[in-house]
């Protein structure tokens, strides 16, 4: 839970959990061994250490980047027929038969993938990464908990350095719906949406 005025994290829960009293006050080797051998890793704080694809929450970043670049305004619309063709493949919307005519507000409200695919082609991955970084993705939140992960906001340069491959525009389409190489912690997403 985040205070949207201050950005203060009021509360968080990571599951599965463990009972700290059993390992602090009265060391319990049997309990400790059970925790450390658990394949679900209950000692990891998933809020700050779990890295996940942010999914459709990332669409807000795409919308902001497109608005800032003047690619769209709140009235700009596209027709979603359930898929768009790009290169030699189709990129599908979650709604198989499509959303029909979609404005920005409807695209966010109904999470229309095709609307954001069309924006991604015009924005580019580095501009998306810039906006994501400005909202705290790809960096720690400085929550003062040990082991916080930074996540990953990919760029053309990142892919070239890490994978020795060029970036393809189709990867930007996947990134714009919060998939692909993009990774964030739940704490980052909570703060991003609170800003």
């Amino acid at each position: 839970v985040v205070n949207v005025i201050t950005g203060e994290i009021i509360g968080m829960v990571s599951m599965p959990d463990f009972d700290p009293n059993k390992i602090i006050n009265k060391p319990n080797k049997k309990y400790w061994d059970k925790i450390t051998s658990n394949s679900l890793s209950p000692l990891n704080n998933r809020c700050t250490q779990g890295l996940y694809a942010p999914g459709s929450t990332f669409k807000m970043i795409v919308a902001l980047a497109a608005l800032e670049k003047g690619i769209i305004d709140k009235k700009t619309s596209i027709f979603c027929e359930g898929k768009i063709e790009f290169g030699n493949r189709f990129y599908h919307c979650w709604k198989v038969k499509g959303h029909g005519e979609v404005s920005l507000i409807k695209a966010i409200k109904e999470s229309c993938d095709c609307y954001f695919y069309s924006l991604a082609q015009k924005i580019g991955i580095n501009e998306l990464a810039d906006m994501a970084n400005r909202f705290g993705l790809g960096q720690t939140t400085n929550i003062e908990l040990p082991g916080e992960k930074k996540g990953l906001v990919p760029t053309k340069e990142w892919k070239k350095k890490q994978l020795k491959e060029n970036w393809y525009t189709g990867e930007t389409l996947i990134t714009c719906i919060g998939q692909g190489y993009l990774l964030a912690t739940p704490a980052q997403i909570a703060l991003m949406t609170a800003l």
Side-chain angles (χ1 to χ4, degrees), residues 32-52:
W32 177 254
D33 289 344
K34 180 181 174 186
I35 292 171
T36 57
S37 64
N38 186 332
S39 64
L40 297 176
S41 305
L43 292 173
N44 288 344
N45 182 337
R46 282 165 173 70
C47 297
T48 59
Q49 297 173 327
L51 293 174
Y52 310 98

Side-chain angles (χ1 to χ4, degrees), residues 84-92 170 174:
I84 68 165
E85 186 174 6
F86 183 78
N88 61 353
R89 64 175 293 199
F90 287 96
Y91 292 80
H92 295 270
I174 298 303

Side-chain angles (χ1 to χ4, degrees), residues 109-158:
K109 181 180 171 186
E110 297 187 17
S111 196
C112 175
D113 294 333
C114 288
Y115 189 90
F116 293 96
Y117 292 147
S118 69
L119 297 185
Q121 293 176 58
K122 298 170 186 165
I123 298 170
I125 191 60
N126 286 359
E127 290 78 6
L128 285 177
D130 176 62
M131 184 62 74
N133 292 148
R134 287 162 48 194
F135 275 80
L137 300 181
Q139 54 203 301
T140 60
T141 65
N142 297 317
I143 194 171
E144 299 180 7
L145 290 174
E148 182 180 10
K149 300 283 172 85
K150 293 171 88 172
L152 173 62
V153 177
T155 62
K156 291 178 182 179
E157 296 76 19
W158 169 84

Side-chain angles (χ1 to χ4, degrees), residues 154-172:
T155 62
K156 291 178 182 179
E157 296 76 19
W158 169 84
K159 187 176 180 198
K160 191 69 161 172
K161 182 178 178 183
Q162 295 298 315
L163 304 176
K164 311 288 189 264
E165 296 176 4
N166 291 327
W167 186 268
Y168 298 102
T169 305
E171 294 172 306
T172 307

